[in-house]
Structures are given as C-alpha cells and as structure tokens.
Amino acid sequence: MTASASIGTRPGRWSHELQAGLAVARRTALVELRYRNKFAMDLIGHLIGLAPIVLTAWALSGGRHSNRLTELAGLPDPFTFVLLGFVAFSSIGLGSILMLYTGAWSNVGWEQTNGVFERNMLAPVRRGTILFGISGYFTTLFAYHAVTLFLFGWLIFGLQPEVTWTGLGLGIVALLCLLVTSCSLGVIGASLTLGFKEEELYLLIVSRPMTVLSGAYFLIELVPQPFRALAMVNPLAYAIDAFRGALTGHPLLVPNNGVAIGAAIAVAAGMSILAIPVHRRMTHRMVQKGTLGLF
Amino acid sequence: MATKTAMHSLISHVNSLRITAIDSLTVAHYRLIAQLRARTWFVTASTTAFFMVGPLVLLGETLVGRNGERLQPFFELSGYQNYTGYLAVPLAFAVLTNSAYSWIGQAIRSEQQAGTFERVLVSMRYPASLLLGGSLAHLAFLAFFIAFGIASVKVLADLQLDVNWPSALGAGLLHLYAVYGFAFILSSLFLWIHDAFIVQQSISYVIIPIIAGAGYPIAILPGWAQVVAEVIPFTWAFELERATFLKHSSLADMPSHVLLILGTSTAMWIAAAFLFRLTLRRARQTGTLGLY
C-alpha cells in the first residue's frame, strides 16, 4: 500500500502525464468495447433518450405551434429551445438512457469493487491523471452525443438555430466549456464515489440537483421559489444557457452572449479547479484507510 | 382411492405454497438487510420522481401554461386540461416502478458475482422464490416512494389532484401486477446475457416512457406504433392512473382497461415463468450460475 502510494504520487513531466492520461482513456475504451450491448447503447442511447422529451413537447405544443415561449422569452420555435438544451445536456453526460451507468463515477466504482483501481494506481503517474484519463474517455463519448444530437435535430426535426459565424464560434466555445465541465464533474463524481463508497452520493448531492435545476428544456423563470433561487446559482444552468444563447441569438439568464460565454468559461475553470483538491483529498483518504480496493 | 389421491395432491400443493412463501420472505428479509448497507440509496430513490419528473412537468409549464393558448388543443388531444397532473402522475409511477427492473434482475447478477447465487439455489426449493422475494422487498418501500414522489413534484407545480382513493389503489396494484410480470421476464436476461443490465434498461426505457406514452397521449404516434402501444399493459395502466388520480374516476367506469391489463400481465407472468426456467436450466448446464 505504502509503495503504491509513493509511486502513485511521484510527479512526472506534462508530456508523460498526458501520454499516461491518453493510455488510460484508450484502456477505458477497450474495456467498454468488451461489453458490446453497453457500447452499442452508448452510441445510440442519447437518441433514444431524446424521444420521450420530444414526444412530450410535441403533444404539449401541438407539433411546434406554441407561442408561449415567444411571449415569455422571445424564442420563436419551442423545438429549437428544447433540442439545443438537450444537446447541451448530453454534453455533460445526461442525455443517454444509460446516464446512471455511463460516466467516470460509475466506472471507477466498478474498478474499485473489482480491484483494478488499486492496480492502476501503481502506474508511475499522478493519481489525478488516471481519473482524468477515465473521465476523458467519457467526455469524448459525450462530445459525440452532443454533435450527433445536434445533427439529428437539424436533419430530422428541422432545428432552427440562428447560425451566424459568430454564433457558431461562440456555440463551439460554449460546447468546449461544457465538455471541460463534464470532464471535471466526472473526476469530482469519481472521487466522491471512491472516497465514500456510495455510488448514489454523487447522484444525490451533485448530479441530480444540478440537472433538475439546469433549465435545459424548461424556463427557469417558471420554477417556483425557493428552487428558482437555487437554479440561479447552478453553474450548469449558465453553461447550458451560453450554448443555447449562442445558437438562438440571445441567452436567457444573462444580458448578452459575451457575458454568457464568460460565465461558461468561468464555470469550466471553476469546476476544473475544484476537481483537483476533491480528488486529492479523496485519494489521500483512501490510501490512509487502505480502501483503494473493495473486495 | 381417488379422494385420497386428490387429498394428497392438495396437501402437496399447499405445502409447496407454504415453502415458497417462507423462502420468499427469507429472500426479502436478506434483500432489505443488504440494501440498508447503501445508506444514501433510500434518499436517492425517494427523490427520484422530483428529479426525473420535475423537468418534464416544467416543460409543460413552459409550452402550455395555466392560461395559455395551448390549453384547449391539449384538452382536445388528451381529454385533460390539467397538463401538470397528466404528466406527473403516470411519470411518477413509471419512474418509481422502474426500480423493480433493476432491483430484481440486478440482485441476481450481484449474487452471481458474489458467488452466493449457487448457494441460494441449493437451499431453495423453488428458484422462483428468488424473484418473488425480491418483489416483496421492493414492495416494502414502493408505496412510500410513489406517495413521496407525487408529493415532491407537487412542490414544483400545482397538480390539482382529484383522487378516487380505492380506485387509485386498484390502478396502482394493477400497474404493479404488470411491472412484476415484466420485471420477471427481464430478470431471465441476467442468466443469459453478460451485460444484461444494459439490455434490460434499454428495453424498459423504450417500452415504458416511449411507446406506452407515460408523458403524452399515444394518439400522436403513427398508426403502427399505436397498435404496439395498445398491447402493452402500461399504456392502459397510465390511463387508469390519470383517470383515478385526476378525474375521480372509478375502475368500474373502465372495465376494458382493467381486463386488458389483467390479460396482458398474466401472459407476461406465464412467459416469465417459462423463460426463467429455461435460462436457469441453461445456466446450470453451461456452468454459468456464478460469475467470478
């Protein structure tokens, strides 16, 4: 235990760490590939996950005839609002029907139970590199979800974004911020799962509250108090709003796209900064308690 | 002589039922003890409806609104003006009973991985007790989850419930009859497919919230999909729940719905018994009862 801990904490060169992180991501992909049904569902589950939301929106708006969104928020097409929100949602891993089983936090929980995690910690790299590598694989998967959902929405549902070069550029920046946020959230979730041995804990205190109050496919202004106040301090709500705002012309939570993108960058940076001490503290706790593996 | 044989047969059947009941209760007891080890699970499961159904109810507020122009078209399509209740009641049932699929099937997989599955089967007279016991343990907390779930969504939106309690209870029980039949079918997958959890999750997701119309009237589906929806008991269960929770309707007003749920669910229970026996025999023959 002590030997593995000392090797695991030895800092390496950045190129070495990056290489190790990529190796971990590649290995995670290879492990995922072994579960063919899961892998297939990882590739199409987000499109299936969209179906009930689209069908409900269709029934509520009678196709796409609702003018309520125009009156309330100046957005002409309810489907564009819902679809862009869902694209942003999926970039943080919440679009798939397997959202509870696909992510760094559920992956490391499995590795810990099977004893693989302890073995991985013997690698002569920083421990965080391993967690970021695992989370990196899932972030790549979520990027694929976001892009394919956007294309699917455009081709099948006639998504009507206001595509200007500036808007597209801001949209890409917002998406990248969401992906960085997603990667960092993956590390935070994995650290909490490992540290407290409770897979549900991350769901309970981070994932679900942030999800329900994100305004991905509803207007935050319609959420009753005190939940609206909580939604207004939810960082994910601003990141999602920045992405949608870039592609609809204007965000809903802040005055303009510049501020929205600034907020999305701040959220990504904040989450990344938060992920480092969280994973350090949790790993330290596990090493001290000898609970890197749970047999 | 004939009377004696009949008597013997009756005693044997009663004895079998007694043993199954005892085995099932034992399984339920240990399942609940095991679940108590996951401390946060109870809180997470209790709040599932709030987190999963809440956003869709808020989608209703966003697209329809209390006095919005879409209220009348939605009434014409669904028969309900109360769009928040229309969404929340069946979705809460769908989301919360969904735990049956993971609870019962996943428990078999956990036992396979821990090596206790073989041990349990050795001491158990009828393997079906494993499924029945899992269902009993699940039932122990489900009523609380559903009540808490609907109450928690009420915090987000005014659901305007008008409940006929006896019929609502009947509708809930009919729904559970369908849920456990479906859960037993899906449980057999764990004796057959390695990553069965994903297959189970995908099948239940496609059938319940998408095809059975938990959050929308199936009238908006294309013709062929409506035909498929009509042979799924959950479609009728959702209709019953909406009517009994929102319109104070009685089950006696909707006998065809009740019969359809009973018929299709019974078919699922029979199919489940056949499939479980088949997959269990296969697992015994191929030496895959345990997965280490």
Side-chain angles (χ1 to χ4, degrees):
Chain A
M1 181 65 66
T2 320
S4 71
S6 66
I7 292 167
T9 47
R10 187 189 299 165
R13 291 194 316 272
W14 278 105
S15 59
H16 176 64
E17 297 290 329
L18 184 67
Q19 217 173 2
L22 289 172
V24 172
R26 196 173 59 242
R27 185 198 58 100
T28 309
L30 289 173
V31 172
E32 291 287 316
L33 264 169
R34 285 186 59 198
Y35 298 92
R36 283 168 298 176
N37 293 318
K38 179 174 185 292
F39 190 72
M41 210 37 74
D42 271 341
L43 294 181
I44 60 166
H46 57 300
L47 301 176
I48 300 172
L50 176 68
I53 293 158
V54 163
L55 286 164
T56 305
W58 189 273
L60 292 166
S61 63
R64 52 208 303 174
H65 302 303
S66 172
N67 288 323
R68 187 165 154 83
L69 212 58
T70 318
E71 292 160 14
L72 291 171
L75 297 169
D77 179 34
F79 261 53
T80 301
F81 170 81
V82 171
L83 285 169
L84 287 177
F86 197 79
V87 169
F89 213 44
S90 65
S91 69
I92 39 178
L94 300 168
S96 170
I97 61 169
L98 304 181
M99 63 179 169
L100 299 182
Y101 316 104
T102 286
W105 63 282
S106 63
N107 186 283
V108 295
W110 177 85
E111 290 204 348
Q112 192 182 29
T113 316
N114 287 284
V116 193
F117 189 70
E118 201 170 20
R119 226 182 295 164
N120 290 341
M121 283 289 163
L122 286 169
V125 288
R126 289 175 199 272
R127 293 193 186 105
T129 304
I130 294 167
L131 286 185
F132 273 101
I134 293 170
S135 195
Y137 162 75
F138 289 104
T139 305
T140 312
L141 179 70
F142 302 152
Y144 158 81
H145 285 177
V147 172
T148 47
L149 268 171
F150 186 83
L151 293 174
F152 187 77
W154 204 343
L155 296 172
I156 307 291
F157 294 108
L159 192 67
Q160 296 162 8
E162 281 191 16
V163 185
T164 60
W165 285 112
T166 317
L168 200 60
L170 291 176
I172 290 169
V173 173
L175 184 61
L176 289 173
C177 290
L178 277 163
L179 292 170
V180 171
T181 307
S182 170
C183 189
S184 306
L185 274 174
V187 173
I188 293 171
S191 306
L192 291 175
T193 304
L194 289 167
F196 291 105
K197 320 285 172 293
E198 292 260 9
E199 286 195 15
E200 311 265 344
L201 191 72
Y202 171 65
L203 267 184
L204 190 65
I205 62 173
V206 182
S207 173
R208 284 187 167 176
M210 280 192 173
T211 306
V212 77
L213 300 170
S214 66
Y217 41 91
F218 57 84
L219 288 175
I220 285 179
E221 65 181 88
L222 298 174
V223 179
Q225 293 288 18
F227 301 104
R228 196 189 315 156
L230 290 172
M232 295 306 283
V233 294
N234 177 8
L236 285 188
Y238 290 91
I240 291 171
D241 189 46
F243 175 75
R244 188 164 42 208
L247 295 168
T248 53
H250 64 94
L252 302 175
L253 300 178
V254 291
N256 58 54
N257 276 328
V259 179
I261 293 296
I265 292 170
V267 169
M271 286 292 178
S272 306
I273 292 166
L274 183 67
I276 294 166
V278 170
H279 97 75
R280 275 192 185 154
R281 195 180 168 88
M282 289 298 141
T283 318
H284 182 66
R285 183 186 151 113
M286 283 185 291
V287 172
Q288 278 191 326
K289 289 192 168 185
T291 53
L292 279 172
L294 286 177
F295 307 105
Chain B
M1 189 65 183
T3 324
K4 210 171 177 179
T5 316
M7 199 63 181
H8 254 294
S9 168
L10 182 69
I11 290 169
S12 161
H13 276 100
V14 170
N15 206 29
S16 301
L17 280 175
R18 191 180 63 84
I19 292 167
T20 307
I22 292 169
D23 281 351
S24 302
L25 284 171
T26 310
V27 170
H29 176 69
Y30 282 105
R31 201 59 69 73
L32 285 172
I33 289 174
Q35 200 59 45
L36 281 174
R37 289 182 193 153
R39 285 162 296 177
T40 50
W41 169 81
F42 191 79
V43 184
T44 316
S46 308
T47 51
T48 297
F50 178 79
F51 289 125
M52 306 298 278
V53 180
L56 280 167
V57 172
L58 290 168
L59 175 66
E61 292 285 11
T62 302
L63 297 181
V64 182
R66 197 68 31 85
N67 303 309
E69 54 167 21
R70 296 302 315 163
L71 211 51
Q72 186 57 26
F74 184 73
F75 172 69
E76 285 164 15
L77 181 69
S78 66
Y80 291 84
Q81 274 199 323
N82 178 4
Y83 57 92
T84 50
Y86 182 91
L87 292 170
V89 171
L91 281 169
F93 268 90
V95 166
L96 291 165
T97 54
N98 210 25
S99 56
Y101 311 121
S102 51
W103 176 273
I104 298 167
Q106 185 65 13
I108 290 181
R109 175 51 47 86
S110 302
E111 300 236 23
Q112 281 181 304
Q113 286 173 335
T116 46
F117 189 56
E118 284 148 318
R119 228 183 291 166
V120 169
L121 286 181
V122 167
S123 59
M124 197 170 269
R125 174 90 170 266
Y126 301 105
S129 308
L130 200 64
L131 300 182
L132 294 172
S135 310
L136 281 176
H138 184 250
L139 265 177
F141 52 78
L142 194 64
F144 168 78
F145 284 171
I146 291 174
F148 188 80
I150 293 175
S152 65
V153 178
K154 224 169 178 309
V155 173
L156 283 177
D158 181 13
L159 299 185
Q160 297 167 27
L161 300 178
D162 183 10
V163 189
N164 179 337
W165 286 108
S167 291
L169 181 68
L173 289 174
L174 283 167
H175 191 145
L176 286 177
Y177 184 51
V179 162
Y180 289 126
F182 193 40
F184 295 161
I185 289 180
L186 295 176
S187 295
S188 303
L189 296 175
F190 285 88
L191 297 169
W192 177 30
I193 300 170
H194 193 52
D195 53 350
F197 198 44
I198 301 306
V199 180
Q200 172 211 267
Q201 173 83 1
S202 310
I203 293 173
S204 60
Y205 194 92
V206 168
I207 288 184
I208 297 167
I210 299 181
I211 300 179
Y216 60 89
I218 59 166
I220 67 165
L221 292 174
W224 65 267
Q226 284 184 41
V227 174
V228 176
E230 283 169 4
V231 294
I232 297 173
F234 302 110
T235 308
W236 306 106
F238 293 145
E239 282 298 313
L240 276 185
E241 281 146 17
R242 285 183 183 120
T244 55
F245 274 85
L246 305 176
K247 285 183 170 174
H248 202 85
S249 299
S250 160
L251 287 187
D253 303 334
M254 308 165 90
S256 59
H257 285 54
V258 174
L259 287 174
L260 274 161
I261 297 170
L262 283 174
T264 46
S265 302
T266 304
M268 286 201 296
W269 277 69
I270 293 167
F274 174 73
L275 262 175
F276 188 64
R277 193 173 294 182
L278 197 74
T279 49
L280 189 61
R281 193 171 58 201
R282 184 183 171 276
R284 279 181 167 145
Q285 283 172 343
T286 52
T288 50
L289 279 176
L291 293 173
Y292 309 106

